[in-house]
Amino acid sequence: MTDTSLPAAADLGTFERWLSVWVALAIGGGLLLGNIFPGLFSFLAALEVASLNLAVAVLIWAMVYPMMVGVDFGALRQVGDKPKGLVVTLVVNWLIKPFTMAALGVLFFEYVFAGLIPPDDAQAFLAGVILLGAAPCTAMVFVWSNLTRGDATYTLVQVSVNDVIMVFAFAPIVAFLLGVTDIVVPWDTLLLSVGLYVLLPLLAGYVTRRNLVAKGGEAAVDAFKSRVQPFSIIGLLVTVVLLFGFQGEVILDRPLVIVLIAVPLLIQSYGIFFVAYLAARAWRIPFSVAAPCAMIGTSNFFELAVAVAISLFGLGSGAALATVVGVLVEVPVMLSLVAFANRTQHWFPKGGDAS
């Protein structure tokens, strides 16, 4: 596989170098606008199909599409020859992450925060974080991979394999950890998400790549990705505004609860990332594979978690609230990890032979 490691910081545009500032402004803007124009954000939040918000879905699609243009279909069959990154992803996502999330939930909601949270709320919050822990990311990981100049082809395979496993493993894991036997996977949410965030942008990326290669080879592909990158970042910022705007009133009305739920989620997110990232480093996996494989486990399929929480416990339940907090925590956390990964890419080999 070709080396797609991130160029030096000096090669980044001014807009990308100051991304953390723009995200902070987007979070503040979302909170402000959500409280000034609650009716508008309620209307946008109601635009859902199978628990997927259509406004956010369009923005995520736009962010995923540039990554898909970089997928080399001819190299897909080579991924099986270099399985280390895939092994790390699968072990972390399915043998570690759900169980550490459940353990952290019990620790904080039943012990550390026992005097601050009523027992019924503690159990509801625990259910919500368990649902998040059992649902690795499908869509946004393409965005994080793109921001680290990850190997687009390998990332696609990692996400696709995770999605296949999730079809069979999500319900049994959640049922085991929650002690609930009637877990029903919302197939409409799962299938629509895969179609909207993986298959459609992959098809669009394939057509675009084929046309670009025919006209100017790989140089034309690289030039196109450079041109659309700013629009992808703008889409990310608008997504942040919408996500925080949707929950602006809740955040300001119940700030302590939001913080308490966020604590185990933050510890889990950073912990899982470093488990996968350091395992990839120890195994000498190239950075273009190591960064995305660590971020897939760190990021969550929050649409699936929200949908199951609502179906099991109700729209206004603590479980549903916990999954929403997961959404709010994810973007700032993932961007901080993108920045960390880009600064530490020298820890990893640059070629593809070690993967």
Side-chain angles (χ1 to χ4, degrees), residues 2 15 30 48 61 83 95 126 145 150 175 188 196 206 208 214 221 240 280:
T2 57
F15 192 70
E48 286 192 348
W61 195 97
L95 299 182
L126 175 60
S145 180
D188 52 353
L196 189 62
Y206 169 75
T208 302
V221 174
V240 173

Side-chain angles (χ1 to χ4, degrees), residues 188-254:
D188 52 353
T189 299
L190 184 57
L191 296 178
L192 180 60
S193 177
V194 171
L196 189 62
Y197 298 145
V198 180
L199 296 181
L200 282 180
L202 181 61
L203 176 62
Y206 169 75
V207 172
T208 302
R209 181 184 178 87
R210 186 179 63 179
N211 292 335
L212 289 170
V213 170
K215 293 177 180 178
E218 289 297 325
V221 174
D222 293 338
F224 175 82
K225 290 175 66 179
S226 296
R227 288 197 301 272
V228 300
Q229 181 70 12
F231 297 100
S232 180
I233 299 298
I234 291 171
L236 174 60
L237 296 177
V238 177
T239 301
V240 173
V241 171
L242 288 181
L243 292 177
F244 279 83
F246 291 159
Q247 304 300 327
E249 291 182 289
V250 174
I251 293 172
L252 296 182
D253 287 345
R254 306 181 67 184

Side-chain angles (χ1 to χ4, degrees), residues 48-53 186 188-189 192 302-304 306-308 310:
E48 286 192 348
V49 175
S51 297
L52 298 181
N53 182 268
D188 52 353
T189 299
L192 180 60
F302 54 79
E303 294 96 342
L304 178 63
V306 171
V308 175
I310 291 173

Side-chain angles (χ1 to χ4, degrees), residues 28-38 41 241 245:
L31 292 173
L32 180 64
L33 293 173
N35 282 274
I36 294 177
F37 305 108
F41 280 86
V241 171

Side-chain angles (χ1 to χ4, degrees), residues 11 20 32 45-46 72 78 94 102-103 147 155 179 194 214 221-222 226 228 261 274 280 287 312 315 329:
D11 295 332
S20 58
L32 180 64
D72 182 358
Q78 299 175 16
W94 299 106
L147 289 174
T155 301
V194 171
V221 174
D222 293 338
S226 296
V228 300
I261 296 173
F274 283 107
F287 177 76
L312 285 177
L315 180 61
V329 166

Side-chain angles (χ1 to χ4, degrees), residues 157-169:
V157 172
Q158 289 174 308
V159 170
S160 300
V161 172
N162 267 295
D163 285 346
V164 171
I165 293 175
M166 185 156 41
V167 168
F168 300 99

Side-chain angles (χ1 to χ4, degrees), residues 98-121:
F99 306 100
T100 55
M101 186 72 265
L104 285 169
V106 170
L107 173 64
F108 281 93
F109 297 137
E110 296 188 1
Y111 295 96
V112 178
F113 299 150
L116 300 173
I117 302 175
D120 289 345
D121 287 348

